[in-house]
Structures are given as C-alpha cells and as structure tokens.
Amino acid sequence: MTATDIHTSEPIKAPSGTETPENSPQQAPEPTAGYRVALAVVAAVLTLVAWAAAMWANGYVSLGIAVVAIVCGALACTRRAGAWRNLGITAIIASGVLAIVMAAFLIALSFI
C-alpha cells in the first residue's frame, strides 16, 4: 500500500539523494540529562550531610535534610538506567533509612 496524493491519485515519491531536515527523522538530545546527573550528585551529598547532621546536630535538622535528599534522588531517577540513576537510588535508600529511624526516634521521645 502506498501513500497517494488526494488530488491526482498518484503515488507520492520520496526525494532521492540526500535527506532534507523536513523528511528525515531526527532525535532531539535529552535537554535535562546534565540536570538529572547534578540532582543525583546533590542527593548523594545531601544524604551524607543528613547523616553527619544526625551525629552533630539536631534530629529535626537531619530529618529535614534527609527528606530533601529523598526528593532530589527521586527526581534524578527519571533518567534511563545507568550509574547516575543508581547513585540516586542509593541516596534515596540511605536517606529513607535515616528518615525512618529519626522519625521513629523523635516520635518515641515525644512520649517520654
């Protein structure tokens, strides 16, 4: 089955030779690739800062930083599979563990 012109009922022929931008399929580069990599790195750094804040600062500060790291890691995971996405997933897991432990600890302390 060939495509035909409506008015003349003749088959439409593709231009021969080099392809022009109008008829060649082009894939646009992903504009946010660097942004996602940066988010994965920020999530990992925030995770480390949250764990450090758990040792040397207030538990509420640590919990807040961990939640921000989880959000950054989740945004970084919308990328295709790769090392940077794995870094984002690792940051989510480490921050999630810290957030759960800190929340449970702060809730338990509120009843004492």
Side-chain angles (χ1 to χ4, degrees):
M1 179 180 235
T2 61
T4 57
D5 189 8
I6 295 174
H7 299 293
T8 61
S9 296
E10 294 177 12
I12 300 173
K13 297 179 183 176
S16 60
T18 61
E19 290 188 6
T20 60
E22 292 85 23
N23 63 1
S24 65
Q26 293 182 356
Q27 226 176 14
E30 186 178 337
T32 60
Y35 177 69
R36 303 293 182 203
V37 170
L39 276 175
V41 172
V42 167
V45 169
L46 283 175
T47 300
L48 294 174
V49 169
W51 278 94
M55 291 186 288
W56 294 305
N58 193 353
Y60 293 105
V61 173
S62 176
L63 182 63
I65 295 172
V67 169
V68 172
I70 290 171
V71 171
C72 287
L75 292 174
C77 286
T78 59
R79 242 185 91 120
R80 291 184 300 235
W84 295 112
R85 182 172 188 244
N86 292 344
L87 180 65
I89 291 171
T90 303
I92 290 173
I93 292 169
S95 295
V97 167
L98 179 65
I100 290 171
V101 169
M102 277 296 155
F105 183 69
L106 292 173
I107 290 170
L109 282 181
S110 68
F111 289 118
I112 293 178

